[in-house]
């Protein structure tokens, strides 16, 4: 049976691999998995194929018996927030997140607002592969579109209650918001003004062609934002990915703040004064040690898990962690919704700046800095599996070796993670240390272990 869902859900180039027929099939399979019991909430980002694909998914859902809500063009976290509040059985987001404009994707959500893990995805794939004609309901049982009001006012109102806006207003924080033409465009400028900021916008008009900048808010795509922050003397710059579940920050000097550092600052602010007895932060194996440094200062425990949002959410539920996050700037807040929240993270960081009356640069510097080196070894999928199995044989026994996801070697002054890529033909090597030279050395050491393993396999 062919797989529909990869490590990032279903994502592909539209009308080449991802066709309306496929979207219809996914909608029908989802309805079948729910036994025709809805309603299912749907939404989409700004991509040119958004409504076309949503119509197709919705047709599948309705022919399988599910009623459908349309939230329209909204950020992914709003969909997650809305699912339990609309007493729905599932959700569908038509988005390709940070992929280039020719891509789109379909991401599925459970009734609690958490994205599907691989287990329910496998069920959808099985149903998808079965004859379609046997899975449609009789004409009397079709689902129907349900009317829902614009969900943005309620979501905005509740978001604003999460921070002390009077403090932000008092500080007269000046921000440059770069929505990149993505889903943040429809909410962010207004939300920031309501939060008390003075706002300048960049690419905050929905644009499915992403002509302003690439939907991935990586440092190399944010040159214009950095320039604008410095030129206008703003306090902070912000940029969201295509579906606004992630946000990254630029400080007033035009310096890009790594996603794991903004996640660490968000955790610091949310948990510092929390009355919770056992403070817990869930993150994945590739996150910077800065999260451990922050956790130490606020007496929190860091629980590590495998890479990927569904794994982090599952672990947060299991250990009852208050916050979870990733190195790319995605942060999840227990008690709010079970997904990465680019809008709440925006307000959280603004709340921190206003509360501390300090710049982002100063706040970031309160915690140790690290250098990171990312590289990789090209290899086939077959090689990946053998390398993962055998590479540990090369590693001296006195080095601490963690096999939670890939292999993470921990040294007294840094670490290196060797992990097969889920999307590319390579074994990823990711090293972190206090100095760049040491991080490079660790990355090279990791590469040597992989190369030696590969030579031995070939012999
Ligand atoms: Mg995203």
């Amino acid at each position: 049976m062919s797989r529909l869902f990869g490590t990032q859900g279903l994502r592909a180039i539209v009308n080449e691999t991802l066709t309306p027929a496929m979207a219809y099939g996914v909608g029908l399979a989802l309805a079948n998995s729910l036994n025709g019991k809805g309603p299912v909430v749907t939404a989409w980002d700004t991509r040119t194929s958004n409504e076309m694909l949503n119509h197709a998914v919705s047709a599948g859902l309705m022919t399988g018996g599910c009623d459908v809500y349309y939230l329209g063009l909204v950020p992914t976290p709003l969909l997650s927030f809305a699912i339990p509040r609309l007493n729905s059985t599932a959700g569908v987001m038509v988005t390709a997140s940070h992929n280039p404009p020719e891509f789109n994707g379909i991401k599925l959500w459970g009734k609690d607002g958490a994205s599907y893990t691989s287990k329910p995805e496998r069920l959808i794939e099985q149903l998808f592969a079965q004859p379609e004609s046997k899975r449609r309901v009789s004409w009397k049982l079709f689902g129907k579109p349900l009317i829902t009001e614009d969900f943005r006012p309620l979501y905005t109102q509740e978001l604003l209650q999460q921070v002390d806006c009077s403090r932000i207003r008092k500080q007269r924080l000046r921000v440059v918001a770069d929505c990149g033409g993505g889903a943040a465009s429809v909410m962010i400028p207004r939300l920031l003004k309501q939060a008390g900021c003075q706002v300048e916008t960049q690419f905050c008009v929905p644009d499915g062609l992403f002509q302003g900048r690439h939907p991935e808010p990586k440092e190399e795509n944010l040159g214009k934002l950095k320039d604008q922050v410095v030129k206008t003397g703003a306090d902070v710059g912000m940029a969201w990915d295509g579906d606004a579940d992630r946000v990254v920050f630029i400080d007033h000097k035009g310096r890009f703040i790594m996603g794991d550092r903004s996640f660490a600052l968000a955790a610091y602010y949310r948990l510092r004064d929390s009355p919770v007895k056992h403070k817990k932060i869930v993150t994945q194996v590739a996150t910077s040690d800065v999260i451990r440094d922050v956790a130490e200062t606020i007496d929190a425990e860091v629980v590590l898990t495998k890479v990927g949002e569904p794994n982090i959410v599952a672990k947060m539920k299991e250990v009852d962690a208050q916050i979870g996050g990733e190195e790319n700037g995605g942060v999840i807040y227990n008690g709010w919704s079970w997904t990465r929240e680019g809008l709440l993270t925006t307000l959280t960081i603004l709340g921190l700046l206003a509360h501390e009356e300090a710049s982002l640069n100063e706040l970031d510097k309160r915690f140790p800095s690290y250098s990171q080196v990312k590289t990789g070894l090209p290899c086939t999928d077959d090689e990946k599996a053998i390398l993962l199995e055998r590479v540990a044989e090369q590693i001296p026994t006195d080095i601490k070796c963690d096999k939670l996801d890939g292999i993470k070697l921990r040294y007294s002054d840094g670490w290196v993670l060797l992990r097969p890529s889920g999307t590319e033909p390579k074994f990823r090597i990711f090293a972190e240390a206090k100095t760049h030279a040491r991080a490079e050395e660790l990355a090279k050491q990791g590469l040597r272990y992989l190369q030696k393993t590969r030579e031995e396999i070939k012999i």
Side-chain angles (χ1 to χ4, degrees), residues 11 76 95-99 107 215 241-246 309 340:
R11 268 186 224 172
T76 290
T95 177
S97 189
H98 58 267
N99 281 54
K107 199 168 168 184
D241 77 325
D243 65 327
D245 61 348
R246 288 193 286 128
E309 179 191 350
R340 293 182 293 207

Side-chain angles (χ1 to χ4, degrees), residues 289 293 367-372 412-415 431-439 442:
D289 275 350
D293 303 328
F367 298 102
S369 66
Y370 294 93
S371 278
Q372 296 173 337
S412 59
D413 57 351
W415 52 264
E432 180 179 273
K434 291 256 164 103
T435 66
H436 186 71
R438 179 62 175 149
L442 289 176

Side-chain angles (χ1 to χ4, degrees), residues 258-272 279-305 312 321-333 349 364 366-370 372 408 410 415 432 434:
M258 297 294 286
D260 26 27
R261 298 189 74 83
S262 48
F263 159 44
L265 288 174
Y268 172 73
Y269 185 50
R270 294 284 291 201
L271 293 188
R272 185 184 50 180
K279 298 175 189 170
K280 288 178 192 162
I281 304 168
V282 171
T283 192
Q284 37 130 319
V285 290
T287 301
S288 167
D289 275 350
V290 72
I291 197 69
R292 303 203 314 181
D293 303 328
V294 163
E296 223 167 80
T297 65
I298 54 175
D299 198 21
E301 180 192 350
V302 175
V303 182
L304 289 183
T305 185
I312 293 174
Q322 293 80 36
I323 198 164
E326 297 177 304
E327 97 291 355
N328 60 16
V331 188
I332 301 145
Y333 303 82
I349 295 296
D364 182 58
R366 285 187 194 171
F367 298 102
S369 66
Y370 294 93
Q372 296 173 337
K408 188 172 182 177
R410 187 166 271 290
W415 52 264
E432 180 179 273
K434 291 256 164 103

Side-chain angles (χ1 to χ4, degrees), residues 41 71 75-87 109 111-114 151-159 162 335-341 344:
V41 194
L71 290 184
T76 290
L78 189 153
L79 173 84
S80 167
F81 177 87
I83 293 167
R85 287 163 178 87
L86 286 169
N87 290 320
W109 303 80
K111 64 178 182 200
D112 63 351
F151 222 78
R152 287 177 293 175
L154 174 68
Y155 176 62
T156 303
Q157 190 192 333
E158 294 207 19
L159 270 174
Q162 294 287 313
W336 173 260
S337 72
W338 287 122
T339 197
R340 293 182 293 207
E341 239 299 357
L344 183 50

